Amino acid sequence: MEYMARKLLSIKIFDDEHKKKWKKTLIDNDFEVLCVSQFTLYNTWKGNKPDFHLAMPSEHSKEFYENFIEMLRSKYKPEKVKDGIFGAYMQVDLQNDGPVTLELESPAKTEKPSKKDQSAHVNKTTEEAGDILERQS
Amino acid sequence: MEYMARKLLSIKIFDDEHKKKWKKTLIDNDFEVLCVSQFTLYNTWKGNKPDFHLAMPSEHSKEFYENFIEMLRSKYKPEKVKDGIFGAYMQVDLQNDGPVTLELESPAKTEKPSKKDQSAHVNKTTEEAGDILERQS
């Protein structure tokens, strides 16, 4: 978890002032982060149906996710880290800039070498457009 | 490629009329598909910078992508399959419904057992919101 929080704040996915790509972090730009928990990213396929048995069970994952958000806030500015409502059905409105979507995975834990520990998709969005439109629990 | 086109049209990612999840395909619903080519999905990380050397070189990938779109159109209704401009810098506006993002990968070719052949992200979007706002080549 510490790896993911540190990486998310350290990866250079923004242009510098000379429009050179992959030069600046979100901290360099004083940007906000919108985190949206999404267990569907951990899917496998069972025939034509998505299967989520590899994802962390919901009784553990809410606390895990909340700890992750807190860690991110403690490493950056708390007010810059926004999130959705865990487990809620939401409409997430985003404008993917590029489009750029990058996959970030934490290294597997030593006790479970065959599994990923945590997985995230990083979408570059325009400043105003990343937003959660509706919240329904 | 044939695998990816067939799978994309066969996967059951929509609710049925009783709101049961993962029951209907996009064909069942007569929905549109918005395909956006995105080599950044094939990233690895070199320290804090994304690295794309595993992605297909652009001199081959444009034709590859165009063939994929044509295959998708031939297997479904041509007018239902929309796409972006290959290699262009675009702002892709989407409203992710759920949010649901699923990863779909074609099996590795036998001659290159360690590599994925093709990778795609499937985002469930609301009917109106998947759109490309700007196109700049």
Side-chain angles (χ1 to χ4, degrees), chain B residues 73-123:
Chain B
R73 287 188 173 134
S74 73
K75 286 177 182 294
Y76 188 34
K77 300 172 186 172
E79 72 279 9
K80 293 278 185 185
V81 179
K82 315 284 185 186
D83 70 331
I85 295 177
F86 185 88
Y89 174 71
M90 296 177 287
Q91 300 294 329
V92 180
D93 191 35
L94 65 88
Q95 187 173 332
N96 193 331
D97 181 22
V100 173
T101 302
L102 301 166
E103 199 163 292
L104 189 60
E105 280 173 22
S106 66
K109 284 180 187 170
T110 45
E111 63 266 42
K112 288 179 188 169
S114 66
K115 277 178 72 175
K116 297 176 285 186
D117 181 37
Q118 207 180 351
S119 179
H121 284 187
V122 182
N123 285 301

Short mmCIF file of all heavy atoms in Angstrom, two decimals, chain B residues 73-123:
data_model
loop_
_atom_site.label_atom_id
_atom_site.label_comp_id
_atom_site.label_asym_id
_atom_site.label_seq_id
_atom_site.Cartn_x
_atom_site.Cartn_y
_atom_site.Cartn_z
N ARG B 73 -16.78 -4.16 -37.30
CA ARG B 73 -17.94 -3.71 -38.10
C ARG B 73 -18.55 -4.86 -38.88
O ARG B 73 -19.77 -4.97 -39.01
CB ARG B 73 -17.50 -2.59 -39.07
CG ARG B 73 -17.24 -1.29 -38.34
CD ARG B 73 -16.98 -0.11 -39.27
NE ARG B 73 -16.92 1.10 -38.47
CZ ARG B 73 -16.00 2.06 -38.58
NH1 ARG B 73 -15.08 1.98 -39.51
NH2 ARG B 73 -16.03 3.10 -37.78
N SER B 74 -17.67 -5.76 -39.37
CA SER B 74 -18.18 -6.86 -40.18
C SER B 74 -18.92 -7.89 -39.31
O SER B 74 -19.80 -8.60 -39.80
CB SER B 74 -17.04 -7.53 -40.94
OG SER B 74 -16.23 -8.29 -40.07
N LYS B 75 -18.56 -7.95 -38.02
CA LYS B 75 -19.21 -8.92 -37.13
C LYS B 75 -20.46 -8.35 -36.47
O LYS B 75 -21.22 -9.08 -35.82
CB LYS B 75 -18.23 -9.33 -36.01
CG LYS B 75 -17.13 -10.27 -36.47
CD LYS B 75 -16.19 -10.57 -35.31
CE LYS B 75 -15.04 -11.45 -35.71
NZ LYS B 75 -15.41 -12.82 -36.10
N TYR B 76 -20.65 -7.03 -36.57
CA TYR B 76 -21.79 -6.37 -35.94
C TYR B 76 -22.43 -5.47 -37.00
O TYR B 76 -22.41 -5.83 -38.17
CB TYR B 76 -21.28 -5.61 -34.70
CG TYR B 76 -22.33 -5.01 -33.78
CD1 TYR B 76 -23.56 -5.64 -33.57
CD2 TYR B 76 -22.07 -3.81 -33.11
CE1 TYR B 76 -24.48 -5.08 -32.70
CE2 TYR B 76 -23.00 -3.25 -32.24
CZ TYR B 76 -24.21 -3.89 -32.05
OH TYR B 76 -25.12 -3.32 -31.19
N LYS B 77 -22.97 -4.34 -36.59
CA LYS B 77 -23.51 -3.40 -37.57
C LYS B 77 -22.49 -2.28 -37.78
O LYS B 77 -22.12 -1.61 -36.82
CB LYS B 77 -24.82 -2.81 -37.07
CG LYS B 77 -25.89 -3.86 -36.81
CD LYS B 77 -27.10 -3.22 -36.13
CE LYS B 77 -28.12 -4.28 -35.74
NZ LYS B 77 -29.22 -3.73 -34.90
N PRO B 78 -22.06 -2.08 -39.03
CA PRO B 78 -20.99 -1.09 -39.28
C PRO B 78 -21.28 0.27 -38.63
O PRO B 78 -20.38 0.89 -38.07
CB PRO B 78 -20.97 -0.97 -40.80
CG PRO B 78 -21.51 -2.26 -41.30
CD PRO B 78 -22.51 -2.73 -40.27
N GLU B 79 -22.53 0.73 -38.69
CA GLU B 79 -22.85 2.07 -38.19
C GLU B 79 -22.83 2.18 -36.67
O GLU B 79 -22.86 3.27 -36.12
CB GLU B 79 -24.20 2.56 -38.76
CG GLU B 79 -25.43 1.88 -38.18
CD GLU B 79 -25.75 0.50 -38.80
OE1 GLU B 79 -24.93 -0.04 -39.57
OE2 GLU B 79 -26.85 -0.01 -38.49
N LYS B 80 -22.76 1.03 -35.99
CA LYS B 80 -22.75 1.05 -34.52
C LYS B 80 -21.33 1.13 -33.96
O LYS B 80 -21.14 1.23 -32.75
CB LYS B 80 -23.41 -0.23 -33.97
CG LYS B 80 -24.90 -0.33 -34.25
CD LYS B 80 -25.70 0.47 -33.25
CE LYS B 80 -27.19 0.26 -33.45
NZ LYS B 80 -27.98 1.13 -32.57
N VAL B 81 -20.34 0.98 -34.81
CA VAL B 81 -18.94 0.96 -34.34
C VAL B 81 -18.27 2.29 -34.67
O VAL B 81 -18.00 2.59 -35.83
CB VAL B 81 -18.16 -0.22 -34.98
CG1 VAL B 81 -16.71 -0.22 -34.50
CG2 VAL B 81 -18.83 -1.55 -34.66
N LYS B 82 -18.04 3.09 -33.64
CA LYS B 82 -17.40 4.40 -33.80
C LYS B 82 -15.95 4.30 -33.37
O LYS B 82 -15.60 3.49 -32.52
CB LYS B 82 -18.10 5.44 -32.92
CG LYS B 82 -19.62 5.39 -32.95
CD LYS B 82 -20.17 5.99 -34.20
CE LYS B 82 -21.70 6.03 -34.14
NZ LYS B 82 -22.29 6.49 -35.40
N ASP B 83 -15.11 5.16 -33.92
CA ASP B 83 -13.74 5.19 -33.43
C ASP B 83 -13.17 6.61 -33.41
O ASP B 83 -13.78 7.54 -33.91
CB ASP B 83 -12.83 4.24 -34.22
CG ASP B 83 -12.59 4.73 -35.63
OD1 ASP B 83 -13.45 5.42 -36.19
OD2 ASP B 83 -11.51 4.43 -36.17
N GLY B 84 -12.00 6.75 -32.79
CA GLY B 84 -11.31 8.03 -32.76
C GLY B 84 -10.36 8.12 -33.95
O GLY B 84 -10.46 7.36 -34.90
N ILE B 85 -9.46 9.07 -33.93
CA ILE B 85 -8.46 9.19 -34.98
C ILE B 85 -7.18 8.58 -34.45
O ILE B 85 -6.68 8.97 -33.40
CB ILE B 85 -8.23 10.67 -35.37
CG1 ILE B 85 -9.51 11.22 -36.01
CG2 ILE B 85 -7.06 10.78 -36.34
CD1 ILE B 85 -9.42 12.68 -36.38
N PHE B 86 -6.64 7.62 -35.20
CA PHE B 86 -5.48 6.88 -34.71
C PHE B 86 -4.30 7.82 -34.49
O PHE B 86 -3.94 8.61 -35.35
CB PHE B 86 -5.09 5.79 -35.72
CG PHE B 86 -3.98 4.93 -35.23
CD1 PHE B 86 -4.23 3.81 -34.46
CD2 PHE B 86 -2.65 5.28 -35.48
CE1 PHE B 86 -3.21 3.03 -33.97
CE2 PHE B 86 -1.62 4.51 -34.99
CZ PHE B 86 -1.90 3.38 -34.23
N GLY B 87 -3.68 7.71 -33.33
CA GLY B 87 -2.45 8.46 -33.04
C GLY B 87 -2.67 9.93 -32.73
O GLY B 87 -1.72 10.65 -32.48
N ALA B 88 -3.91 10.38 -32.74
CA ALA B 88 -4.17 11.81 -32.51
C ALA B 88 -4.25 12.10 -31.01
O ALA B 88 -4.58 11.24 -30.21
CB ALA B 88 -5.48 12.21 -33.17
N TYR B 89 -3.94 13.34 -30.69
CA TYR B 89 -4.12 13.81 -29.32
C TYR B 89 -5.59 14.20 -29.17
O TYR B 89 -6.09 15.05 -29.90
CB TYR B 89 -3.19 15.00 -29.06
CG TYR B 89 -3.42 15.65 -27.72
CD1 TYR B 89 -3.04 15.00 -26.55
CD2 TYR B 89 -4.00 16.91 -27.64
CE1 TYR B 89 -3.25 15.59 -25.32
CE2 TYR B 89 -4.21 17.51 -26.41
CZ TYR B 89 -3.84 16.85 -25.25
OH TYR B 89 -4.06 17.43 -24.04
N MET B 90 -6.28 13.54 -28.26
CA MET B 90 -7.73 13.75 -28.15
C MET B 90 -8.13 13.95 -26.70
O MET B 90 -7.43 13.52 -25.78
CB MET B 90 -8.48 12.52 -28.69
CG MET B 90 -8.28 12.25 -30.16
SD MET B 90 -9.13 10.74 -30.74
CE MET B 90 -8.10 9.47 -30.02
N GLN B 91 -9.26 14.56 -26.52
CA GLN B 91 -9.90 14.62 -25.22
C GLN B 91 -11.10 13.67 -25.29
O GLN B 91 -12.05 13.92 -26.04
CB GLN B 91 -10.41 16.04 -24.92
CG GLN B 91 -9.31 17.09 -24.91
CD GLN B 91 -8.33 16.90 -23.77
OE1 GLN B 91 -8.69 16.41 -22.70
NE2 GLN B 91 -7.09 17.29 -24.00
N VAL B 92 -11.03 12.58 -24.55
CA VAL B 92 -12.10 11.60 -24.60
C VAL B 92 -13.00 11.77 -23.37
O VAL B 92 -12.57 11.54 -22.24
CB VAL B 92 -11.55 10.16 -24.67
CG1 VAL B 92 -12.69 9.15 -24.72
CG2 VAL B 92 -10.65 10.00 -25.88
N ASP B 93 -14.22 12.20 -23.63
CA ASP B 93 -15.16 12.48 -22.55
C ASP B 93 -16.00 11.23 -22.32
O ASP B 93 -16.70 10.77 -23.22
CB ASP B 93 -16.06 13.64 -22.99
CG ASP B 93 -16.90 14.17 -21.84
OD1 ASP B 93 -16.41 14.18 -20.71
OD2 ASP B 93 -18.04 14.56 -22.11
N LEU B 94 -15.91 10.66 -21.13
CA LEU B 94 -16.75 9.50 -20.90
C LEU B 94 -17.32 9.54 -19.50
O LEU B 94 -16.76 10.14 -18.58
CB LEU B 94 -15.99 8.19 -21.14
CG LEU B 94 -14.81 7.78 -20.27
CD1 LEU B 94 -15.30 6.98 -19.07
CD2 LEU B 94 -13.87 6.91 -21.08
N GLN B 95 -18.48 8.96 -19.38
CA GLN B 95 -19.10 8.84 -18.07
C GLN B 95 -19.10 7.36 -17.73
O GLN B 95 -19.86 6.58 -18.32
CB GLN B 95 -20.51 9.42 -18.14
CG GLN B 95 -21.16 9.49 -16.77
CD GLN B 95 -22.50 10.22 -16.83
OE1 GLN B 95 -22.71 11.07 -17.68
NE2 GLN B 95 -23.40 9.86 -15.95
N ASN B 96 -18.23 6.97 -16.83
CA ASN B 96 -18.06 5.55 -16.50
C ASN B 96 -19.18 5.13 -15.55
O ASN B 96 -19.30 5.63 -14.44
CB ASN B 96 -16.68 5.33 -15.87
CG ASN B 96 -16.29 3.87 -15.80
OD1 ASN B 96 -17.16 2.99 -15.69
ND2 ASN B 96 -15.01 3.58 -15.85
N ASP B 97 -20.00 4.19 -16.01
CA ASP B 97 -21.22 3.77 -15.33
C ASP B 97 -20.89 2.64 -14.35
O ASP B 97 -20.61 1.52 -14.76
CB ASP B 97 -22.21 3.30 -16.40
CG ASP B 97 -23.53 2.85 -15.81
OD1 ASP B 97 -23.87 3.27 -14.69
OD2 ASP B 97 -24.23 2.08 -16.50
N GLY B 98 -20.92 2.94 -13.08
CA GLY B 98 -20.65 1.91 -12.05
C GLY B 98 -19.74 2.39 -10.95
O GLY B 98 -20.18 2.50 -9.84
N PRO B 99 -18.48 2.73 -11.17
CA PRO B 99 -17.73 2.59 -12.42
C PRO B 99 -17.32 1.14 -12.70
O PRO B 99 -17.01 0.41 -11.78
CB PRO B 99 -16.48 3.45 -12.18
CG PRO B 99 -16.27 3.40 -10.70
CD PRO B 99 -17.64 3.32 -10.10
N VAL B 100 -17.37 0.76 -13.96
CA VAL B 100 -16.93 -0.57 -14.38
C VAL B 100 -15.85 -0.42 -15.45
O VAL B 100 -16.10 0.17 -16.50
CB VAL B 100 -18.09 -1.41 -14.95
CG1 VAL B 100 -17.57 -2.72 -15.54
CG2 VAL B 100 -19.12 -1.70 -13.88
N THR B 101 -14.64 -0.89 -15.17
CA THR B 101 -13.59 -0.98 -16.17
C THR B 101 -13.05 -2.40 -16.13
O THR B 101 -12.67 -2.88 -15.06
CB THR B 101 -12.43 0.01 -15.88
OG1 THR B 101 -12.96 1.33 -15.85
CG2 THR B 101 -11.36 -0.07 -16.96
N LEU B 102 -13.06 -3.08 -17.25
CA LEU B 102 -12.63 -4.47 -17.30
C LEU B 102 -11.48 -4.59 -18.27
O LEU B 102 -11.44 -3.90 -19.29
CB LEU B 102 -13.79 -5.36 -17.76
CG LEU B 102 -15.03 -5.32 -16.86
CD1 LEU B 102 -16.21 -5.94 -17.58
CD2 LEU B 102 -14.77 -6.05 -15.55
N GLU B 103 -10.56 -5.47 -17.96
CA GLU B 103 -9.44 -5.68 -18.86
C GLU B 103 -9.68 -6.95 -19.67
O GLU B 103 -10.12 -7.96 -19.12
CB GLU B 103 -8.15 -5.81 -18.05
CG GLU B 103 -6.94 -5.58 -18.90
CD GLU B 103 -5.70 -5.30 -18.08
OE1 GLU B 103 -5.65 -4.24 -17.44
OE2 GLU B 103 -4.81 -6.15 -18.07
N LEU B 104 -9.42 -6.85 -20.93
CA LEU B 104 -9.60 -7.97 -21.84
C LEU B 104 -8.30 -8.16 -22.60
O LEU B 104 -7.78 -7.22 -23.17
CB LEU B 104 -10.74 -7.61 -22.81
CG LEU B 104 -11.30 -8.66 -23.75
CD1 LEU B 104 -11.89 -9.83 -22.98
CD2 LEU B 104 -12.40 -8.02 -24.60
N GLU B 105 -7.76 -9.36 -22.56
CA GLU B 105 -6.50 -9.63 -23.25
C GLU B 105 -6.64 -10.82 -24.16
O GLU B 105 -7.25 -11.82 -23.79
CB GLU B 105 -5.39 -9.94 -22.24
CG GLU B 105 -4.79 -8.73 -21.61
CD GLU B 105 -3.82 -9.09 -20.50
OE1 GLU B 105 -3.32 -10.23 -20.51
OE2 GLU B 105 -3.60 -8.24 -19.64
N SER B 106 -6.04 -10.71 -25.31
CA SER B 106 -6.04 -11.88 -26.17
C SER B 106 -4.95 -12.83 -25.69
O SER B 106 -3.97 -12.42 -25.09
CB SER B 106 -5.78 -11.47 -27.62
OG SER B 106 -4.48 -10.97 -27.75
N PRO B 107 -5.13 -14.13 -25.93
CA PRO B 107 -4.10 -15.09 -25.52
C PRO B 107 -2.81 -14.80 -26.26
O PRO B 107 -2.84 -14.30 -27.39
CB PRO B 107 -4.67 -16.44 -25.94
CG PRO B 107 -6.06 -16.20 -26.42
CD PRO B 107 -6.22 -14.74 -26.68
N ALA B 108 -1.69 -15.09 -25.63
CA ALA B 108 -0.39 -14.87 -26.28
C ALA B 108 -0.27 -15.76 -27.51
O ALA B 108 -0.79 -16.88 -27.55
CB ALA B 108 0.73 -15.19 -25.30
N LYS B 109 0.38 -15.25 -28.52
CA LYS B 109 0.67 -16.08 -29.69
C LYS B 109 1.61 -17.21 -29.29
O LYS B 109 2.47 -17.03 -28.44
CB LYS B 109 1.35 -15.24 -30.77
CG LYS B 109 0.41 -14.32 -31.50
CD LYS B 109 1.20 -13.54 -32.53
CE LYS B 109 0.31 -12.47 -33.17
NZ LYS B 109 1.11 -11.55 -33.98
N THR B 110 1.49 -18.33 -29.93
CA THR B 110 2.34 -19.47 -29.56
C THR B 110 3.82 -19.17 -29.77
O THR B 110 4.66 -19.61 -29.00
CB THR B 110 1.95 -20.73 -30.34
OG1 THR B 110 1.77 -20.37 -31.71
CG2 THR B 110 0.68 -21.34 -29.80
N GLU B 111 4.14 -18.39 -30.79
CA GLU B 111 5.57 -18.12 -31.03
C GLU B 111 6.17 -17.12 -30.04
O GLU B 111 7.37 -16.99 -29.95
CB GLU B 111 5.80 -17.66 -32.49
CG GLU B 111 5.14 -16.36 -32.88
CD GLU B 111 3.79 -16.58 -33.51
OE1 GLU B 111 3.02 -17.44 -33.03
OE2 GLU B 111 3.49 -15.92 -34.51
N LYS B 112 5.32 -16.39 -29.33
CA LYS B 112 5.83 -15.47 -28.31
C LYS B 112 5.05 -15.71 -27.02
O LYS B 112 4.17 -14.94 -26.66
CB LYS B 112 5.62 -14.01 -28.74
CG LYS B 112 6.52 -13.54 -29.86
CD LYS B 112 6.18 -12.09 -30.19
CE LYS B 112 6.91 -11.62 -31.43
NZ LYS B 112 6.42 -10.32 -31.90
N PRO B 113 5.35 -16.80 -26.34
CA PRO B 113 4.51 -17.21 -25.22
C PRO B 113 4.50 -16.24 -24.05
O PRO B 113 3.60 -16.27 -23.24
CB PRO B 113 5.12 -18.55 -24.81
CG PRO B 113 6.50 -18.54 -25.35
CD PRO B 113 6.47 -17.70 -26.58
N SER B 114 5.52 -15.37 -23.96
CA SER B 114 5.60 -14.52 -22.78
C SER B 114 4.87 -13.19 -22.95
O SER B 114 4.71 -12.43 -22.02
CB SER B 114 7.06 -14.24 -22.45
OG SER B 114 7.64 -13.46 -23.48
N LYS B 115 4.41 -12.92 -24.18
CA LYS B 115 3.79 -11.61 -24.41
C LYS B 115 2.31 -11.72 -24.70
O LYS B 115 1.83 -12.66 -25.29
CB LYS B 115 4.50 -10.90 -25.58
CG LYS B 115 5.78 -10.19 -25.13
CD LYS B 115 6.47 -9.55 -26.31
CE LYS B 115 5.73 -8.33 -26.83
NZ LYS B 115 6.49 -7.68 -27.91
N LYS B 116 1.62 -10.69 -24.28
CA LYS B 116 0.23 -10.56 -24.66
C LYS B 116 0.18 -10.10 -26.11
O LYS B 116 1.06 -9.37 -26.58
CB LYS B 116 -0.47 -9.52 -23.79
CG LYS B 116 -0.52 -9.88 -22.33
CD LYS B 116 -1.14 -8.76 -21.53
CE LYS B 116 -0.18 -7.59 -21.36
NZ LYS B 116 -0.70 -6.54 -20.48
N ASP B 117 -0.83 -10.52 -26.81
CA ASP B 117 -0.94 -10.15 -28.21
C ASP B 117 -1.63 -8.79 -28.33
O ASP B 117 -1.21 -7.91 -29.07
CB ASP B 117 -1.76 -11.22 -28.93
CG ASP B 117 -1.91 -10.94 -30.40
OD1 ASP B 117 -0.94 -10.43 -31.00
OD2 ASP B 117 -2.98 -11.22 -30.94
N GLN B 118 -2.66 -8.59 -27.56
CA GLN B 118 -3.46 -7.37 -27.69
C GLN B 118 -4.17 -7.18 -26.35
O GLN B 118 -4.54 -8.13 -25.68
CB GLN B 118 -4.49 -7.57 -28.80
CG GLN B 118 -4.95 -6.32 -29.49
CD GLN B 118 -5.98 -6.62 -30.58
OE1 GLN B 118 -6.22 -7.76 -30.94
NE2 GLN B 118 -6.59 -5.58 -31.09
N SER B 119 -4.33 -5.96 -25.96
CA SER B 119 -4.93 -5.66 -24.67
C SER B 119 -5.96 -4.54 -24.85
O SER B 119 -5.76 -3.64 -25.65
CB SER B 119 -3.83 -5.23 -23.69
OG SER B 119 -4.36 -4.90 -22.44
N ALA B 120 -7.06 -4.61 -24.13
CA ALA B 120 -8.06 -3.54 -24.24
C ALA B 120 -8.71 -3.31 -22.89
O ALA B 120 -8.80 -4.23 -22.07
CB ALA B 120 -9.12 -3.91 -25.27
N HIS B 121 -9.14 -2.11 -22.66
CA HIS B 121 -9.96 -1.81 -21.50
C HIS B 121 -11.38 -1.57 -21.98
O HIS B 121 -11.59 -0.84 -22.93
CB HIS B 121 -9.47 -0.56 -20.78
CG HIS B 121 -8.23 -0.81 -19.99
ND1 HIS B 121 -7.70 0.12 -19.16
CD2 HIS B 121 -7.44 -1.90 -19.88
CE1 HIS B 121 -6.62 -0.38 -18.58
NE2 HIS B 121 -6.43 -1.60 -19.01
N VAL B 122 -12.31 -2.20 -21.31
CA VAL B 122 -13.72 -2.02 -21.64
C VAL B 122 -14.34 -1.18 -20.54
O VAL B 122 -14.38 -1.58 -19.38
CB VAL B 122 -14.43 -3.39 -21.72
CG1 VAL B 122 -15.88 -3.19 -22.12
CG2 VAL B 122 -13.71 -4.32 -22.68
N ASN B 123 -14.79 0.01 -20.88
CA ASN B 123 -15.48 0.86 -19.91
C ASN B 123 -16.97 0.83 -20.21
O ASN B 123 -17.38 1.05 -21.34
CB ASN B 123 -15.01 2.32 -20.03
CG ASN B 123 -13.64 2.53 -19.44
OD1 ASN B 123 -13.43 2.28 -18.27
ND2 ASN B 123 -12.71 2.97 -20.26
#
